[in-house]
Amino acid sequence: METITLMAPNQEYAEDIWAFRTEILEKDADSEDQFAGCLSLDTSASAEEWIQICRLRKSEETCREVGTKVPSDMYLAIRQSDNRIVGIIDLRHHINHPILGTWGGHCGYSVRPSERGKGYAKEMLRLNIQNAKALGIEKLLVTCDADNIASEKTILGNGGVFESTIQVEGTEMKRYWITVAK
């Protein structure tokens, strides 16, 4: 796997953000979780609109303006060798919310369909754990559909400890906790 970095969405990547969105829409058309970790990318009218939504979501004071009660940071996973977006991951500042505390968790992520199977999700989550540490989060709740083997391996590969399987609207979901090193 090539080296990646996580960075906040910005205008420099607008064209590639839209290409990422298009690829997800084409390749994952039948998936309910096609935009996991990419809140509102599917409904945004442009990359610029989504970048602005991501900015507003970062703060407790402005996140409600874009329909969320919990502030979060969105990150583009950028492959250093060619400056291409290989994935998107978010980090919710807390999970003091009925959905997030039950099955949403601290983060969600999507890997570009053409970049899957290369270890990027595992590295994205590893880097996001470092972001969680910087925010003072001590334990990270990460969940996945019970049949999502790739996501489960990503979580386990980052120290995830299985807690339980729950039912959410007819779907089995697994809950894992990752202890963030101090």
Side-chain angles (χ1 to χ4, degrees), residues 8-178:
N10 62 68
Q11 190 58 39
E12 176 186 351
Y13 292 97
E15 188 175 316
D16 202 22
I17 289 167
W18 215 244
F20 179 96
R21 178 187 185 272
T22 300
E23 189 173 329
I24 295 265
L25 286 171
E26 290 173 357
K27 305 287 185 191
D28 292 341
D30 297 331
S31 172
E32 290 180 19
D33 294 328
Q34 67 185 157
F35 284 98
C38 305
L39 183 67
S40 73
L41 181 57
D42 55 335
T43 58
S44 294
S46 67
E48 292 77 13
E49 178 183 330
W50 185 71
I51 291 165
Q52 180 60 20
I53 290 168
C54 292
R55 284 189 190 119
L56 291 170
R57 288 180 64 211
K58 292 175 71 123
S59 157
E60 190 83 49
E61 293 77 34
T62 58
C63 67
R64 291 177 189 276
E65 292 178 35
V66 289
T68 185
K69 296 177 182 176
V70 177
S72 62
D73 291 295
M74 187 72 64
Y75 299 99
L76 305 175
I78 306 295
R79 183 170 47 215
Q80 289 184 346
S81 66
D82 60 1
N83 209 31
R84 183 174 199 239
I85 298 170
V86 297
I88 296 177
I89 190 167
D90 69 348
L91 177 61
R92 297 167 195 120
H93 297 185
H94 62 79
I95 56 171
N96 301 333
H97 181 277
I99 293 172
L100 299 179
T102 303
W103 62 269
H106 281 95
C107 65
Y109 46 86
S110 291
V111 174
R112 193 177 204 136
S114 60
E115 300 294 345
R116 292 183 182 151
K118 300 177 182 177
Y120 290 123
K122 183 178 178 184
E123 180 64 3
M124 288 164 53
L125 184 54
R126 185 189 75 76
L127 293 169
N128 215 25
I129 292 167
Q130 294 173 8
N131 293 332
K133 180 180 179 180
L135 281 177
I137 297 170
E138 295 178 2
K139 287 184 86 174
L140 211 60
L141 174 62
V142 186
T143 65
C144 65
D145 286 0
D147 62 356
N148 188 338
I149 307 296
S151 192
E152 184 174 31
K153 285 182 179 180
T154 294
I155 297 165
L156 291 170
N158 277 286
V161 176
F162 177 74
E163 178 197 76
S164 63
T165 299
I166 60 171
Q167 289 283 331
V168 179
E169 298 175 3
T171 300
E172 281 195 337
M173 301 207 55
K174 292 184 175 182
R175 291 171 46 98
Y176 293 88
W177 288 96
I178 297 173

